[in-house]
Amino acid sequence: MLSPDRRRPVRTLGLAAALALALVAAACSSDDGTDDSAPTSAEVTTTTEAAPAGTPAELVDHAADWPTAGQDLLNTRAAATSNITADNVDQLEETWRAGLDGAGALSTTPLVLGDTAYLQGGFGTVFAIDRATGEQRWASEARGLNIGPFGVAVGDGQVYGMDGATGVVALDLADGAEVWATDITATDTTGVDIQPVIADGTVLAASVPISISGIYAPGDRGVVSALDAATGEVLWTFDTVKGDLWGHPEVNSGGGVWYSPTVDLERRLVYAGVANPAPFPGTAEFPNGTSRPGRNLYTNSIVALDLDTGELQWFHQVSPHDIFDRDQTHTLMARLDDGTDVIVTAGKSGVVVGLDPDDGTVRWETEVGHHDNDDLTALDGPTVIAPGTYGGVLTPPSTADGVVYLATVDAPTELKPDETAYFGAPLGSEDGEVTAVSADSGEVLWATDVPGDPLGATTVVNDLVFTALLDGSLLALDRDSGEIVWTGDAGGGVNGWMAVAGDEVFVPVGNADPPALLHLALD
């Protein structure tokens, strides 16, 4: 059994892992809604409704496992069935650890479907792991370095992952053989860093203005792409940069989507969180982002796209004319007790927003984590800003029973108006936080300090919410109170996102030698 008191020191990151960590979350509004809060619940409420038309068969057949990046297409990150509770979480035991030689990094969520777990490493190899034993069933050819996030989707008899940093590859589910590969980058300095999603025969991915060949190169812009799952043909694209790169394409870049979008098959909408504009904060010639006047749409926004055509239905921008790297990259759908849906967006801004999924009307807006000077619209000299460039809600949140759970990195950064600052936030400088927010009103129900940087997202399992820290600590908090009720040790640094299927926990441990998939189960 894992000792509650074990801790491991932070390890030195290798190049690939450091890049993955540094860039894992790189770079229509209206009045607030009601003030009524939604209660937490001791058990996750699951639905018995039939899956919407267009749900891949694999997601239907393995709905009780962890068949897609966010557990389901609504990105709830809530375990569908499990006996793990606060009463027995201390009985979790390491049952196997699958070493993944050549993985490089694991900024990803493993998928669990039936007797197999699937995940992709930082050098593009996709691994199929026996769920019962941890033995490797197959490993695909390496596809090339990806700075992360990355990962796989499963559907229509295939597994889809990143093709290095240039596009999407489809592999045969049985043996990992290539079926097709499609490049969705426009330049050598754009990249693809996202765990894809498949719905209704369509694979969703996106490019970003960062790759191993460049970072925010002038003229680069992030584009969402929808691919035919059978052939890899591009069905539609949506440019997350509106217009001519805000006046100075010879200087500016931006946009892109880093994290798996939410797919609402009932509304036929895709909700994606868009990243920041650049350069930021500015340059000697153009301090404080003056090379890109205006709001810089659609950066730092949630966009709702038609699943069939990619046409923009609505958007809401959280941080106009951003000079602090305020990526608004996460989306999920929360369902209230009365059946109302709320689309929630969060990101490095540390600002969480609940909106009407049909038209983008804002119901509420709430800050989480440490905020300092981030309301400034310009800097007049070196200034400490929080959240910093690696701060805020850096990794995916979760939701259940009308409550949203967010892991926040509270790492401030000193920024200057006339220098770019794409790297350098001092991780480990402050404790992080896990926060529970009402999806109905935006009220903060509780906020708990955690002893490190919670880069392991949040995951709901019955009356618990799990997270993981960069130093390898695993934490379980009581969903009602936020009290830390269990700690464990992953045996290496974690900046990936766990999956929970039944009574089993699957943790990607990227900062270990070798990287590994850790399997825990109730004793």
Side-chain angles (χ1 to χ4, degrees):
M1 186 170 66
L2 295 178
S3 168
D5 297 320
R6 291 171 63 194
R7 288 285 189 275
R8 289 177 181 261
V10 177
R11 292 164 171 79
T12 301
L13 296 177
L15 174 60
L19 283 171
L21 169 61
L23 298 172
V24 67
C28 323
S29 61
S30 66
D31 294 335
D32 290 347
T34 68
D35 292 326
D36 297 329
S37 62
T40 56
S41 173
E43 296 183 356
V44 174
T45 300
T46 57
T47 179
T48 56
E49 297 177 359
T55 304
E58 289 87 347
L59 273 64
V60 176
D61 295 343
H62 302 290
D65 294 328
W66 198 281
T68 192
Q71 203 288 323
D72 49 36
L73 292 176
L74 302 183
N75 277 343
T76 65
R77 290 196 56 82
T81 58
S82 179
N83 291 315
I84 302 171
T85 68
D87 290 335
N88 61 19
V89 65
D90 61 351
Q91 297 174 28
L92 281 176
E93 207 173 71
E94 179 177 325
T95 48
W96 51 257
R97 179 183 298 265
L100 304 175
D101 290 318
L106 292 174
S107 298
T108 186
T109 298
L111 304 189
V112 184
L113 296 93
D115 60 3
T116 308
Y118 303 90
L119 75 166
Q120 186 172 41
F123 287 103
T125 301
V126 175
F127 301 90
I129 306 297
D130 186 286
R131 177 174 177 174
T133 66
E135 295 180 1
Q136 188 172 291
R137 294 185 183 276
W138 55 259
S140 73
E141 294 183 359
R143 309 297 304 191
L145 177 63
N146 190 292
I147 61 177
F150 42 77
V152 296
V154 171
D156 296 357
Q158 297 177 158
V159 55
Y160 309 87
M162 293 298 91
D163 188 15
T166 62
V168 179
V169 62
L171 308 174
D172 187 277
L173 196 59
D175 59 10
E178 180 180 325
V179 179
W180 55 256
T182 300
D183 186 340
I184 61 171
T185 57
T187 69
D188 290 341
T189 48
T190 50
V192 180
D193 300 284
I194 190 172
Q195 185 159 3
V197 173
I198 177 173
D200 201 10
T202 301
V203 181
L204 298 165
S207 62
V208 292
I210 296 176
S211 75
I212 58 174
S213 299
I215 178 167
Y216 298 118
D220 282 351
R221 52 210 296 154
V223 177
V224 180
S225 294
L227 310 179
D228 184 285
T231 66
E233 176 189 0
V234 176
L235 302 176
W236 55 256
T237 62
F238 174 78
D239 192 340
T240 64
V241 171
K242 184 179 182 181
D244 64 350
L245 266 169
W246 320 299
H248 286 278
E250 77 281 5
V251 177
N252 301 334
S253 60
V257 175
W258 292 83
Y259 284 89
S260 307
T262 297
V263 182
D264 183 345
L265 285 169
E266 296 173 353
R267 293 178 174 86
R268 306 292 295 179
L269 291 179
V270 176
Y271 304 95
V274 183
N276 59 281
F280 63 85
T283 66
E285 183 180 3
F286 295 104
N288 290 312
T290 50
S291 64
R292 42 182 179 82
R295 297 172 64 183
N296 305 154
L297 295 174
Y298 297 99
T299 63
N300 303 333
S301 301
I302 177 174
V303 295
L305 309 177
D306 185 290
L307 175 61
D308 300 301
T309 66
E311 293 182 3
L312 179 68
Q313 304 302 297
W314 59 259
F315 74 93
H316 173 70
Q317 188 177 45
V318 177
S319 302
H321 190 74
D322 169 31
I323 60 173
F324 299 142
D325 194 15
R326 307 280 86 155
D327 295 4
Q328 199 70 24
T329 50
H330 303 297
T331 63
L332 59 79
M333 183 79 79
R335 292 203 154 143
L336 308 182
D337 289 341
D338 63 2
T340 302
D341 291 339
V342 180
I343 190 75
V344 178
T345 178
K348 292 166 70 177
S349 64
V351 177
V352 191
V353 185
L355 308 101
D356 185 295
D358 292 308
D359 60 14
T361 300
V362 175
R363 293 173 56 103
W364 50 263
E365 182 174 298
T366 299
E367 290 187 350
V368 295
H370 177 192
H371 289 260
D372 188 15
N373 293 321
D374 61 323
D375 58 346
L376 297 175
T377 57
L379 303 176
D380 58 10
T383 306
V384 174
I385 305 294
T389 52
Y390 300 160
V393 184
L394 200 60
T395 55
S398 59
T399 186
D401 304 308
V403 179
V404 180
Y405 302 92
L406 309 107
T408 304
V409 176
D410 289 337
T413 307
E414 183 178 272
L415 300 175
K416 300 177 182 179
D418 54 356
E419 294 182 8
T420 60
Y422 304 149
F423 301 95
L427 290 172
S429 59
E430 294 188 14
D431 287 344
E433 296 180 30
V434 175
T435 305
V437 174
S438 166
D440 185 14
S441 67
E443 176 189 357
V444 173
L445 303 177
W446 53 256
T448 299
D449 290 344
V450 296
D453 297 308
L455 298 183
T458 63
T459 304
V460 175
V461 185
N462 292 316
D463 57 353
L464 299 171
V465 56
F466 283 83
T467 192
L469 308 184
L470 178 58
D471 70 355
S473 299
L474 306 176
L475 308 180
L477 296 83
D478 183 278
R479 280 180 59 204
D480 283 333
S481 67
E483 177 187 1
I484 298 173
V485 297
W486 174 83
T487 64
D489 184 355
V494 177
N495 66 320
W497 314 294
M498 67 178 67
V500 178
D503 299 342
E504 303 159 79
V505 180
F506 300 78
V507 183
V509 186
N511 190 20
D513 187 15
L517 180 62
L518 170 65
H519 180 267
L520 311 174
L522 289 179
D523 183 11

